Amino acid sequence: MEIHRITGDVTVMSDTAEVPGVGFLPVNTFVLHAEQPVVVDTGLSTPDKDFVAELSRVMDPADVRWIWLTHPDRDHTGGLWKLLEAAPQARLITTFLGVGIMSTEWTVPLDRVYLLNPGQSLDVGDRVLTGYRPPLYDSPATVGFLDGASGSFFSSDCFGAPMPSAEIATGPDARAVDDEGRRSAQLLWAAIDSPWVHGVDRAAFDPTVQQIRNLDPSAILSTHLPPAVGMNRQLIDALAEAPDGPAFVGPDQVALEQLLASFEPGPV
Ligand SMILES: [Fe+2]
Ligand SMILES: [Fe+2]
């Protein structure tokens, strides 16, 4: 993982997943350096990852007090269980549905869970975090949040955008891609991750976008976009376009067979 201290209060730990034909999807986790430290999501779940070891480059994992799991998809839960072991005081912030989804695979220690719904707040010592349902999401358990002290908005999958290289995907700044490139990548990700957006009622969707605009966050911190400080207008304008964006259709079996054939060794 690449580690960047992006504001006085926030460190991003950036990983990436290459998606063939789509690009390099950032997979970020964050450390919010609150009086009671908060880790936001825990990275990819592939066996080569060791999230707790990476986190120890930023802080002593034993000092983590809260793990804010924005939703239990496998690109967010990679280090979850090992971190709960390494951080005996830590509580796992999720929702009732989040626990339910995780319970289909794991035994969730309910005494370590803290249930928080959109609109509810949590005091972490020197600041209050308030939960929001971001406008786009791919899990009914999704809850992002606003840090009342720094003004950073942690948006989970929302505002994601595949990047043209692994280096940019794990970099410290979404400005590494020009506005038009980032806008079209945002629309692509919206179509992949939240395809339902193409059928939404504007009268219902637009106020969810306006809610984020009104928050006027100091930074938009998405799991799937390099950190974006001072980019609210561009990012939120692209989000507002998502219902009218192009649909995504993945490669089909013919394309898969062509790809596999390209891997076969040539005649000797
Ligand atoms: Fe997701
Ligand atoms: Fe995700």
Side-chain angles (χ1 to χ4, degrees):
M1 291 177 119
E2 299 297 322
I3 292 173
H4 311 282
R5 184 89 177 221
I6 46 173
T7 68
D9 304 37
V10 180
T11 298
V12 60
M13 299 167 59
S14 307
D15 204 347
T16 183
E18 184 178 6
V19 184
V22 168
F24 293 83
L25 185 67
V27 182
N28 298 324
T29 65
F30 301 94
V31 176
L32 177 60
H33 300 279
E35 184 181 326
Q36 300 170 14
V38 183
V39 169
V40 185
D41 291 325
T42 61
L44 292 163
S45 296
T46 49
D48 57 319
K49 307 295 180 189
D50 187 344
F51 179 74
V52 174
E54 297 284 349
L55 179 64
S56 67
R57 297 165 59 199
V58 178
M59 63 174 291
D60 184 347
D63 293 335
V64 173
R65 292 288 300 278
W66 301 98
I67 304 166
W68 191 304
L69 184 67
T70 65
H71 63 295
D73 280 355
R74 288 305 207 92
D75 52 325
H76 300 249
T77 58
L80 177 58
W81 307 108
K82 288 197 169 149
L83 181 54
L84 276 170
E85 276 174 31
Q89 298 182 84
R91 303 277 298 274
L92 167 58
I93 303 168
T94 182
T95 64
F96 177 77
L97 277 179
V99 172
I101 292 164
M102 286 186 276
S103 297
T104 61
E105 185 167 6
W106 298 297
T107 302
V108 180
L110 292 178
D111 58 331
R112 304 287 302 275
V113 164
Y114 188 96
L115 294 184
L116 189 142
N117 289 321
Q120 295 186 315
S121 294
L122 175 71
D123 189 328
V124 294
D126 59 347
R127 66 195 70 206
V128 172
L129 313 181
T130 302
Y132 286 88
R133 168 69 43 83
L136 296 182
Y137 54 90
D138 68 353
S139 163
T142 299
V143 185
F145 69 92
L146 184 78
D147 167 16
S150 73
S152 294
F153 180 60
F154 295 83
S155 68
S156 191
D157 284 3
C158 189
F159 295 106
M163 296 284 114
S165 73
E167 189 182 4
I168 292 173
T170 58
D173 192 343
R175 284 193 180 80
V177 173
D178 64 47
D179 260 2
E180 182 46 39
R182 195 219 61 260
R183 172 185 160 276
S184 59
Q186 256 187 273
L187 293 175
L188 172 61
W189 178 247
I192 291 171
D193 196 57
S194 310
W196 50 265
V197 74
H198 298 137
V200 290
D201 178 352
R202 276 279 188 186
F205 179 72
D206 290 352
T208 69
V209 176
Q210 189 61 41
Q211 180 182 48
I212 306 305
R213 217 184 276 280
N214 293 346
L215 289 179
D216 194 24
S218 60
I220 292 177
L221 302 177
S222 167
T223 311
H224 302 307
L225 181 77
V229 179
M231 296 179 67
N232 293 352
R233 185 184 53 73
Q234 304 93 304
L235 290 186
I236 297 171
D237 284 354
L239 178 64
E241 282 185 64
D244 304 318
F248 174 77
V249 179
D252 61 9
Q253 182 59 23
V254 171
L256 175 61
E257 287 175 12
Q258 285 171 348
L259 180 71
L260 292 173
S262 73
F263 293 158
E264 285 171 12
V268 281

